[in-house]
């Protein structure tokens, strides 16, 4: 941003603009106000990724309005997360979307070609964790990553995991998705040498307390190189993994 | 107990005793009252194991008093758990004890020969879990079991556990002792085909919340054949394992 | 497994197979991949029991698909737990099942003759705990155990429990199922001399906090020889009890 | 209080006092202000019992000052609870006290003769619960009650409790004091037909979470006629039991 | 019960009965088994009150069956708690009931004349607490108590409570019913000199955490003479209050 | 109130009234009893604001009844909070209301002109927090305040907040409404020099635990000058802000 | 701040400064960096109050260093909170301080004359809450407020509070400080018509859970016009109250 | 590992070794057993980093023993975490160490030259968070990273953070270390476009509940690209950041 400021100040110094205009330009808001939401249209530039709309708690009308504004500014691809089927249908009437009912996630626009450093492996403990894993997977793909899915490789049958050791060893980033006791993160953490994002899920009952059990497990992982996102936050894991997979040197 | 009642009633029917005496005998208390504790001297018979004294919250004098009364009734071997070093020294002045400072556990009298069905394997996730594991191990030995110790085989280095797979496969009962994320129980549970007693420990910090993390993990284990005892309850695990290892048919 | 490895290596040594084939055979996956779930078909051999399908979070189609694959491999009897009525009906159209609406549990195939060491007694504190108890009971029966049901013998009317003392004394394993304050485990634990599996239930309201109260009670049981499974986990208790009741010596 | 107001108004009506004096008398504070504490000297009259000083968080000087003021107003007997040994010694230099180190409780002045309806029975689960039980017992005695102590009758050895059934059946009020799983309240609740005050204690470790386990158990007691006080609140239980034991008809 | 045993033994001593019959009579079960519930028909005698059926988690059929059995044994009045409207209608087709939709409570048979020591005052903090208060009130009335209702006298308008001070001062037992911050118990506790039963309710939102806030408040009440029952447990409070209000001397 | 007492006493002293009448006048209840609720009609005078009806847990009939009584006493404007659409329609048939479906809040009567010291700024972290913010805004407006709404200025896009810094700097009171991690309160707290009321919302999922996360954040705010109300308590925040904005000197 | 920017830009436009210098001046950091802490020296101007140093977790040396820097910039008076006796002594060797051991708080420099709108009343439930109250009181005094202390007026003796009603009615802001059940906030909230800041304290034991009980109570207060700060946060309450008491209109 | 297996099998195929030897070599344990700990000496190879010793719960002797064994195998540099001063001194007598008392961390051997992709920026909210930050910083440095420290830039003074925006914008990985409300992660998350590791600390009091508040905040961060490690786990954050900073493509 400093470079922008410099340019403005330079223009002012050189008499090309007036102090007042300089002030205005320095204050210029990098977002568009559409009433119920402030669109952050510069975000892609600043943060290098697509805009994301958190669908829960927004009406179909609000979502469509936000997507409209983004499309006008060519912000595609756009991810709409936590989008139930009904709202997805409403959205589909206005925009061409790629909707995953399982992941409750819509993509507006085309997914880009993978351009990350390597592959993101997404492993789940059981079949019930798949919706959260899919949210992570589609998010990562939409952000330009190649994704490998390893589903139902929970630790209670450790040989299922070991049989896929090659994928684990060759991953650039791994996302482990597991509910109940969430041990998958630790076991994978012991096998892999890449960064691991752990996603606890609310799969389970009784003393799983809505995912608390898996969350605590993952936070306490005895393996190093593991970090956690919120319960059921597949999107957050996919996003974080993509950032890691797009690491590059800066000045 | 019914047989005792029958005998008393029979004696009454046959006029050998009076109703009053019968009443007294029916009411006879199977424990000795030494003021601050009721000793349950029939317990060995009823439950087939040594008496155990929970040392925490009792003074050295009280512990010695209880041991005295038990020794008089030949209740050895006696386990004194949660016994700090100072009280152990005081006890050692009155009775010959075998004291483990690590496990904070004293045994009065000789450990019996192993007479269980098979071997009890005790595995820990890390070296910090060893004190709890030793409490379990010595308890099991004192109750007549052969014990195999597999320490520091946590899941973050799964190959350390797999290298000992043979012990796991041939165990009759396994006790898994782990703090932090407590994943050991699930992984062992997936490998073994015998009953597994899981002991969460308070090893860890931050979001381990004094063992809560490991406890929830173990309760939510995705492996079948796993049951849990209280946090740091090595004694309870050893006792339970011994009962399982001494299973026999009843009428 | 080592014996298998030996055979493969022997064959290689003897020139019967090539290194490449040996590698393949050593890597051979002991499970079948049907897309949404990896069936662990060797599990029965390794762990000596039927395969179990956790019905919650799986669609009827997925369940039927898994059962189909198992039946093809003669994996019966198969337990399907947490199966609601509607899915049970769908399953029944493809396979002959024995469904308990109360326990939300279906058995595919015939229950075996009891071949355990002794009897498993299942006691509940109240009538509301019966569904969880039935899940345990049918699980145990399907795994080859004789089961005795003692329902509604909660501690608030201790004479109801004492009147059944004979069953308690002659059990090989006892499963205590109770919600609210979960005291049943401790009282039974004081009477019995066999291993006790405690199942807290979510029966109750207010400060029972969905079974937390009973769970903590059971974990803190002052009686020895008690271990816990997850809240409402009747299946886990039945499975664990069966393992204990099928204990046998190993090399 | 209304009668007092009436008297004042009557005196005013009859011209015996002035409005101003009436106002003063109506406003008169029924407590003495000694700077750091407002002594409620009318409390005995209003509530029919001795004043109680909560010793924790007060300096020895403050406690002595409060006792001084009370003694000047003849407020004996005075209970000083949660009083550590050192402060007790300091207090003993100024007033004749009866101090229980175990219960951390001092009584200033003489305990009255019992004048309650019946006997208060105080039962504990173990020997470690005795300090809390003694706090309850001495409190009740100081408030004019006959107390029967039944210590170490926990439910894990139910016969110990049943052997004392007669005391239970003949109690007017029962106080059950137990840590760990706190099941004593429910079992006693099923045997007795009098009001039961349950006191959870912080005795235990791990998942007892400082008494939470026993507290939840007692709140969820399946027995009717049980009410709870705070963890380790022996005083509160003794006070409540005394109130119940001194019930009488009012207009 | 000892007197019964004596009679049996006496009869045996005098040859009136045989040992076998004596045994049978000593073992006689004081409850009737109707399959899904063990009716405790001697309870009224032992505990001096009506039988109570906890309606939640029982089918209408089960409830009707239990009531039938009780009515046959003349156990009226019978309280059926936590009974929803639909089950109440089903029950009403078989028995004449007095049903309170608000309190979700049915009474089978006639309420007795009040025969307690004094009056039970039931105070609520707000209007939303009335259902729980009514459960307490009807329970107490059915058990033979005169009840005074003081509703909506919460502490945020302390003058509303003070205006009813006379009722508070003349109560024999007070039940305070409050959600949210549950301060009512402490304030009433400071005014009254009789035993107070505090009932936290789940009224509130956010940080009331389903009644936890009110529960903790009441357990920590700075007023003496207060004891607590479970959240929303109006029945338990009414039952406990009735026991207190029927206190009498025993031998 | 003392002045009232003085007047009454004066009248009594001067013989204008009798002692009995004086007593009655001193006891006069400042609320009207309409059966299910005690209306506190003097409250406006005492506390300087409109009466508020908490709509949750009250039937439409009860709400209409309370509003009727208030309108008769000219208590408008009246706020009815937590009022669902159906009850609002019922109320609208009896009284002219201004209803916000989003805020679930009805205003009976006209909102007054703003007469506070300055402006109340209400900021939300996201669009999902708007309903709670609106509850605060309409409450504050109804109580005579000018309100500035700054919605969707969460800290993840700090420039959106900074762009509105002028509003922040010139506010008299700020209400920050945020769910999830609730960081808005701290950031605003660091920018502003006026009192800040923080409202955590239940917006979020997983480890937000129904607003607990935001609540703890706000309570732990590292910024000074921040105080908290209950989760989702928009009304409470608006009310508190209004009180602050109407501060004035007292004698 | 905009005005500053304008001035800089103006100077640049007029050629008085260069673009580079303008940039520097726009970037100028309003705090001094002394290595371990960034002193915010403009804060007084921006936020209208003294700088505050949180003493916990800082060494005596660090605190002295920070005070030195502030004194050099004439930032007095300076509050140092959570300062233990030993560090206070060290600080006193370098600066003249006014230290309250009870409140663990030092003031460097002179307290200003009160210049707020009215009086701040600080009320505590018991004597053990006084340290937290004193922290609030001295903070408020140092920030230019007149403070009235009402200590030990807890709700269990409601007449003690009512006797001080006049202070309550005439306060501009009230701070209620209470542990245990924290009911004081609600009762005062019902009496007063000014903003109330509630401070829960960690006074209590057992189910007070370190102040959680009081905190939840205060958050759930049924009285309007109450907002909460963190447990034991006397400073925060005093600071917030001062801000409210110094409210003034802005443009 | 597969390549190793292949080599062994090849050797066997070619008759260079016998089946038995092949078996032995396939089973060879990649760790050294020194009694109390299994050293994982191949870990560096497998996971590309130094070995780490968790010092807590290990005796000085054990730590020295482990370091000895590692040094013999040239495993330097070795990190010893959670090492108190006393043990550090003992260790220093045997090995040359670089010890940070603040971070409780010793490095045995020389730190390598930075060889990561870019810079790791470590930001703390306050000065009390510095010990945890230092643990992260030294860990990262020891693993070959350049570290930039931005301490005391908490969100309550947002300008302090914004003044360092350039560092934030140019970081490759950012570690945010904050206690109390932990908002730093979200604000930094909104500014940066690189992966962010959030470390909650136990700094705070009252409702910070030992770091729970900051932990929940960070898990619920509204900013994307943030993942969490355990409370106070500076090591874990440094390790994870290093892995990310050493990302490289794999086959």
């Amino acid at each position: 941003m400093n470079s922008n400021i410099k340019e403005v100040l330079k223009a002012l110094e050189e008499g090309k603009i007036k102090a007042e205009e300089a002030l205005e330009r320095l204050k210029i808001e990098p977002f568009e106000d559409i009433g119920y939401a402030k669109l952050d249209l510069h975000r892609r530039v600043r943060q290098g990724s697509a805009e994301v709309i958190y669908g829960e708690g927004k009406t179909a009308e609000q979502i469509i309005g936000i997507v409209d504004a983004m499309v006008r500014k060519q912000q595609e691809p756009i991810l709409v997360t936590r989008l139930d089927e009904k709202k997805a249908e409403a959205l589909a009437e206005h925009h061409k979307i790629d909707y995953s009912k399982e992941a409750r996630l819509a993509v507006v626009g085309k997914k880009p070609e993978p351009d990350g450093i390597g592959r993101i492996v997404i492993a789940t403990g059981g079949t019930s964790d798949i919706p959260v894993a899919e949210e992570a997977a589609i998010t990562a793909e939409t952000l330009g990553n190649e994704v490998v899915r390893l589903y139902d490789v929970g630790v209670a049958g450790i040989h299922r995991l070991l049989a896929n050791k090659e994928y684990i060893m060759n991953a650039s980033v791994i996302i482990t998705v597991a509910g109940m006791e969430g041990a998958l993160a630790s076991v994978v953490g012991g096998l892999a040498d890449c960064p691991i994002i752990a996603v606890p899920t609310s799969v389970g009952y009784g003393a799983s307390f809505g995912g608390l059990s898996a969350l605590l497990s993952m936070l306490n992982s005895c393996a190093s190189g593991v970090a956690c996102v919120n319960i059921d936050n597949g999107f957050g894991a996919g996003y974080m993994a993509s950032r890691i997979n797009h690491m590059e040197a800066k000045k």
Side-chain angles (χ1 to χ4, degrees), chain A residues 16-52:
Chain A
K16 291 180 184 162
I17 58 171
K18 293 280 170 194
E20 214 131 303
E21 192 191 339
L23 182 63
E24 275 323 288
R25 280 170 64 176
L26 288 176
K27 272 176 61 182
I28 203 157
E29 297 181 21
F31 46 83
E32 182 178 1
D33 197 323
I34 59 165
Y36 43 81
K38 297 196 168 28
L39 297 186
D40 190 346
L41 298 169
H42 285 205
R43 200 167 180 179
R44 178 195 295 270
V45 180
R46 267 188 303 116
Q47 300 208 344
S49 63
E51 180 74 24
V52 179

Side-chain angles (χ1 to χ4, degrees), chain A residues 24 47 57 62 88 101-102 111 113 116 139 159 185 200 216 232 247:
Chain A
E24 275 323 288
Q47 300 208 344
Q62 287 178 323
K101 181 178 160 188
E102 192 170 29
K111 287 186 197 167
E113 284 304 300
T139 296
H159 58 291
L216 294 183
D232 290 337
M247 282 284 295

Side-chain angles (χ1 to χ4, degrees), chain A residues 41-178:
Chain A
L41 298 169
H42 285 205
R43 200 167 180 179
R44 178 195 295 270
V45 180
R46 267 188 303 116
Q47 300 208 344
S49 63
E51 180 74 24
V52 179
I53 303 167
Y54 179 67
E56 196 133 327
K58 295 202 181 69
T59 63
E61 288 68 37
Q62 287 178 323
I63 293 167
I64 293 166
I66 298 174
V67 171
D68 282 351
M70 285 177 173
V71 168
R72 274 197 307 275
K73 304 271 178 177
Q74 276 130 339
Q75 296 285 320
E76 289 127 309
I78 302 157
L79 272 170
V80 192
T81 65
R82 309 239 156 192
L83 186 75
D84 64 40
E85 230 175 329
K86 223 167 145 181
K87 291 182 193 168
E89 281 166 19
L91 179 58
E93 287 173 22
H94 291 74
H95 294 277
K96 191 157 174 293
I97 63 171
D98 193 354
Y99 180 65
S100 161
K101 181 178 160 188
E102 192 170 29
R104 292 195 304 150
L105 197 141
V107 182
V108 184
K110 275 183 60 174
K111 287 186 197 167
E113 284 304 300
D115 59 356
I117 298 175
R119 273 186 303 275
I120 297 175
V121 169
I122 303 182
T124 74
T127 55
S128 309
D129 302 312
I130 292 179
V132 175
E134 276 302 304
E135 195 189 50
I138 300 173
T139 296
E141 288 169 350
T142 307
L143 298 172
N145 300 278
E146 185 190 341
V147 170
V148 176
R149 290 160 169 86
L150 286 186
Y151 292 170
D152 195 24
V153 293
V155 301
I158 197 77
H159 58 291
R160 295 183 299 185
L161 184 62
L162 296 179
N164 288 289
K165 210 172 149 182
E166 216 157 337
Y167 292 110
I168 302 285
M169 299 303 287
N170 290 324
S172 283
V173 191
I174 301 174
I175 297 173
T176 59
V177 183

